[in-house]
Amino acid sequence: MGKIEEKIKAFSPNRWLVFVAAMWLQSMAGNGFLFGDISLVIKASLRYNQRQVAALSVAKNLGDCVGFLAGWVSAMLPAWGLLLIAAAQNFIGYGWLWLVVTKHAPALPLWMI
């Protein structure tokens, strides 16, 4: 048995390490896996039809593909600046979506989302 197999066997029974690794994987995977779970809530609260939810999903996928912009910005800014921008974008984007779903803010038109 090689060293890699030994490391995997030593890692897998430790439930806390597996939990942390799973959390890291989910955080790196982004919104791709989450959209299927929240699309029904978005559809019901914003009164979207299936075509509008599909358009929103396509826009989300296109947004995921523009990672080269983050690479370009990371070449110009220090790591803390890039993380600050990313945190602000996530806070505004998901925060506004939460406010809309909980009916604390007006729903935006589909083209703005």
Side-chain angles (χ1 to χ4, degrees):
M1 189 168 14
K3 288 187 177 185
I4 294 176
E5 289 88 8
E6 289 176 13
K7 288 183 180 181
I8 291 174
K9 285 188 178 188
F11 175 75
S12 61
N14 190 335
R15 64 182 179 157
W16 292 110
L17 287 176
V18 172
F19 173 73
V20 170
M23 296 305 289
W24 275 100
L25 284 172
Q26 287 179 347
S27 69
M28 287 184 271
N31 196 21
F33 296 110
L34 181 65
F35 190 80
D37 293 334
I38 65 173
S39 65
L40 294 175
V41 176
I42 293 172
K43 187 176 178 180
S45 64
L46 299 178
R47 295 179 184 85
Y48 284 171
N49 59 30
Q50 187 58 41
R51 180 172 285 195
Q52 291 170 315
V53 171
L56 187 62
S57 176
V58 168
K60 176 199 66 69
N61 289 338
L62 287 175
D64 285 344
C65 294
V66 215
F68 67 90
L69 288 175
W72 179 69
V73 171
S74 70
M76 298 181 172
L77 292 176
W80 63 265
L82 189 62
L83 289 173
L84 186 66
I85 291 171
Q89 287 177 337
N90 279 319
F91 182 73
I92 292 168
Y94 290 116
W96 188 264
L97 185 60
W98 178 78
L99 288 173
V100 168
V101 167
T102 58
K103 300 191 182 345
H104 288 91
L108 298 172
L110 183 63
W111 65 269
M112 287 182 80
I113 294 179

